[in-house]
Amino acid sequence: MEVVIAGDIIGSKRNNPDDYLSVIEPILKTHCKEGMYQIYRGDSFQGWIHNPELALYVCLQIKAALKVKDTLDVRIAIGLGNINLIDENIALSTGSALTRSGELLDSLKEKDQNLMVKSGHSLDLYMNTALKMALLSLDNWTANGAAVIHQIMKKPHMTQEELGLQLGIKQATASRRLDRAHWKETQELHLLFQQYYKDVQDATTH
């Protein structure tokens, strides 16, 4: 089962395009299948995730990277399904993963939820409820909190001491910021998504 993410930058009109394009493109390039992402209308994007189980991790990494600047945020829809690749071009391709991510993204504003999944399976309800609860914290990351999360997601095996050095702060300060940004719980959410992905995949292949 393939996974496509589709997103809109929140606050794009109040910021220079370089402020967010330079942030999201390296993440998409790292985690999408080769060449299988696009940034369109200047502040929207989609990408075919190389390792489907990491889709939520990629979304959270994009969110943290953007929220380092406190006038930016993002809405992201995660679509699970199939992809019919046409001319090696994600923009021309079809399939339920693309359709679901696009349709869901269009509805996020009215749902008042900045991150959701859609696979067409009843398990979506459970994952989306967990995401709704998690967003009470994630949507309120401060710029400092987002910065520590962004750095540690880039290098997950980094020690807190190394994290502090990277950000020019004390280890104790880095530790407090991770706690306040609920890093431990964010990791648990990522593990929950991995289980959700496996369960949906199992349910659709049997």
Side-chain angles (χ1 to χ4, degrees), residues 144-157:
N144 282 339
V148 291
I149 298 286
H150 176 47
Q151 285 299 330
I152 207 158
M153 289 189 91
K154 280 202 295 189
K155 296 181 179 173
H157 303 297

Side-chain angles (χ1 to χ4, degrees), residues 6 8 29 50 52-53 57 67 86 102 106 118 129 134-135 148 159 163 182 198:
D8 284 328
K29 197 170 184 179
H50 177 66
E53 289 179 31
Y57 193 87
K67 282 182 75 68
I86 297 170
D106 289 342
K118 187 173 184 180
T129 303
L135 285 164
V148 291
T159 66
L163 180 60
H182 301 112
K198 286 175 188 166

Side-chain angles (χ1 to χ4, degrees), residues 4 6 40 46 77 79 96-107:
V4 170
Y40 56 98
Q46 70 175 173
S96 56
L98 282 159
T99 304
R100 285 169 180 153
S101 63
E103 288 175 351
L104 182 57
L105 181 62
D106 289 342
S107 72

Side-chain angles (χ1 to χ4, degrees), residues 56 60 63 67 73-74 111-116 127-142 179-183 185-186 189:
L56 181 62
L60 295 174
K63 188 175 184 72
K67 282 182 75 68
D73 202 343
V74 68
K111 290 179 191 292
D112 196 27
Q113 185 167 335
N114 286 338
L115 180 57
M116 290 184 78
M127 190 69 229
N128 282 324
T129 303
L131 288 171
K132 190 169 194 171
M133 292 297 292
L135 285 164
L136 296 174
S137 163
L138 304 177
D139 282 345
N140 288 298
W141 275 340
T142 63
D179 287 344
R180 281 201 294 267
H182 301 112
W183 171 235
E185 293 79 5
T186 303
L189 184 71

Side-chain angles (χ1 to χ4, degrees), residues 14-83:
R14 289 181 289 150
N15 289 272
N16 186 309
D18 283 348
D19 289 343
Y20 50 87
L21 295 179
S22 61
V23 164
I24 63 171
E25 189 153 21
I27 298 172
L28 292 171
K29 197 170 184 179
T30 299
H31 290 288
C32 291
K33 291 177 184 283
E34 194 171 350
M36 294 298 157
Y37 70 88
Q38 62 163 341
I39 296 169
Y40 56 98
R41 292 199 310 246
D43 61 357
S44 299
F45 60 89
Q46 70 175 173
W48 181 0
I49 302 298
H50 177 66
N51 183 344
E53 289 179 31
L54 287 181
L56 181 62
Y57 193 87
V58 177
C59 295
L60 295 174
Q61 196 173 0
I62 290 171
K63 188 175 184 72
L66 288 167
K67 282 182 75 68
V68 169
K69 197 171 191 328
D70 57 17
T71 52
L72 286 169
D73 202 343
V74 68
R75 268 186 293 272
I76 308 183
I78 303 174
L80 289 77
N82 64 352
I83 291 182

